[in-house]
Amino acid sequence: MKVLITGSKGQLGIALNKLLSKRKDIEIVNTDIDDMDITNIEDVRKVLNKYNPNYVINCAAYTKVDECETHQDLAFKVNADGVKNIAVATKEIDATLIHVSTDYVFDGTKKEAYNEDDKTNPQSVYGKSKKAGE
């Protein structure tokens, strides 16, 4: 099985690599911004067609929460449009996409842990851009 990880140099990508590298039945392909620009659909298609993974795990994101407030266009370009590009290209090669989001899509008022069925209510540009990517 071949797994392509986007955002592999980030905190989540590094942790995922550490976990998956223990599995001898998984070939890992790591990509980051210098390997594949997720905001460019043709670049995403080119890389996914080159490696033809079974799974794509999207860990790529514009995660500088405070900077998202002043760089809103970039936040949505990466966190929403970039995810759409990955989803389209993944579907074209008949692979499975696993997309990682954030608890910032919620408003933080719930007393217990959130789950994926809870109503979203993002309070920041970062949260809104990540929700748009979902």
Side-chain angles (χ1 to χ4, degrees), residues 119-131:
K119 183 178 181 277
T120 59
N121 187 23
Q123 301 296 299
S124 65
V125 171
Y126 173 68
K128 290 173 184 174
S129 70
K130 290 294 284 183
K131 181 177 181 320

Side-chain angles (χ1 to χ4, degrees), residues 19-48:
L19 179 70
L20 292 180
S21 67
K22 297 174 185 175
R23 299 270 312 263
K24 301 303 176 204
D25 60 327
I26 297 176
E27 177 185 349
I28 302 169
V29 176
N30 287 303
T31 65
D32 212 276
I33 184 65
D34 47 343
D35 308 302
M36 179 176 70
D37 178 0
I38 67 169
T39 66
N40 180 321
I41 183 69
E42 293 309 319
D43 199 26
V44 176
R45 283 180 170 134
K46 182 178 95 178
V47 172
L48 266 57

Side-chain angles (χ1 to χ4, degrees), residues 65 100-110 112-116 118-124 126-128 130-131 134:
V65 177
V100 181
S101 191
T102 177
D103 61 350
Y104 277 79
V105 300
F106 303 110
D107 58 20
T109 59
K110 188 175 175 184
E112 56 275 349
Y114 284 98
N115 65 57
E116 60 272 2
D118 288 330
K119 183 178 181 277
T120 59
N121 187 23
Q123 301 296 299
S124 65
Y126 173 68
K128 290 173 184 174
K130 290 294 284 183
K131 181 177 181 320
E134 293 181 3

